[in-house]
Amino acid sequence: MKRSNSKTLLITREGYQQLKAEHDELWFKKRPEITRIVSWAASLGDRSENADYTYNKRLLRQIDSRLRFLRKRLEELNIVDYSPQQAGRVFFGAWVELEDDDGNSLKFRIVGPDEIYGRKDYISIDAPMARALLKKQVDDVATVSTPNGPKDWYIVAIDYPQPTQPS
């Protein structure tokens, strides 16, 4: 498997659909809208003192940069769908509920690194916590290395989202 930026190239189907929707929004709506504004602002003449032109031209470059990133990333990502063989163990895409000796609890989903932004309940498969949990079952102990030393977490529950039909 090819690696980019040392990130795992796995993504859930939902995550892939979100990136694809972002791409389509930028390509079919935002970019044409900003291109029209840039063309209009350019038609006004002196571009060096034209704030509309300068701002929207910069915005257009940012959109184009994000589109290039998304196209490349969408091509190299591997969608991982739930498989019945995963039941009862922690694998990619699992919702995991944990508890420590002090009664603290955590619940999160293990996803690809492209999916964690804006979500406090998702962690990357590349995170030490996720790596410590892989292949474990309910009632197993996962020991995670932390800056303060190893910490034990007990697996309370493992769940997988209901599979959606591939689109």
Side-chain angles (χ1 to χ4, degrees):
M1 179 173 16
K2 203 167 65 169
R3 293 189 142 231
S4 169
N5 298 336
S6 75
K7 289 182 180 178
T8 301
L9 297 176
L10 302 177
I11 194 166
T12 63
R13 185 161 301 279
E14 302 94 326
Y16 186 88
Q17 289 168 342
Q18 285 178 339
L19 287 181
K20 179 81 172 89
E22 179 186 354
H23 171 275
D24 292 350
E25 170 77 15
L26 289 172
W27 182 249
F28 294 113
K29 292 184 181 172
K30 287 269 192 205
R31 191 177 193 289
E33 177 185 318
I34 300 301
T35 302
R36 277 192 294 278
I37 293 170
V38 168
S39 296
W40 166 80
S43 72
L44 298 178
D46 184 11
R47 296 177 188 171
S48 64
E49 307 246 345
N50 187 331
D52 279 328
Y53 178 82
T54 305
Y55 171 78
N56 287 292
K57 189 72 173 169
R58 185 179 319 119
L59 187 56
L60 189 58
R61 281 193 299 271
Q62 291 169 350
I63 289 170
D64 286 344
S65 175
R66 182 67 179 164
L67 281 166
R68 279 191 302 277
F69 170 80
L70 287 171
R71 284 189 179 132
K72 183 176 185 229
R73 195 71 179 152
L74 287 167
E75 277 182 18
E76 62 189 8
L77 287 169
N78 298 306
I79 298 171
V80 176
D81 288 314
Y82 171 77
S83 168
Q85 294 118 339
Q86 292 174 247
R89 290 194 178 273
V90 178
F91 289 103
F92 186 85
W95 280 98
V96 184
E97 194 172 333
L98 306 171
E99 198 171 280
D100 69 4
D101 288 325
D102 301 326
N104 298 314
S105 63
L106 293 173
K107 183 175 181 179
F108 51 79
R109 186 173 185 201
I110 299 173
V111 297
D114 295 284
E115 302 176 77
I116 60 173
Y117 303 101
R119 298 286 307 247
K120 294 193 184 299
D121 58 345
Y122 278 14
I123 68 167
S124 171
I125 186 77
D126 296 327
M129 173 73 85
R131 293 292 182 191
L133 292 169
L134 288 178
K135 299 183 182 175
K136 299 251 190 283
Q137 305 176 71
V138 170
D139 295 330
D140 281 354
V141 177
T143 303
V144 182
S145 296
T146 71
N148 299 331
K151 180 165 175 88
D152 290 338
W153 289 94
Y154 302 91
I155 300 174
V156 176
I158 302 166
D159 189 33
Y160 288 89
Q162 293 301 313
T164 55
Q165 293 302 317
S167 50

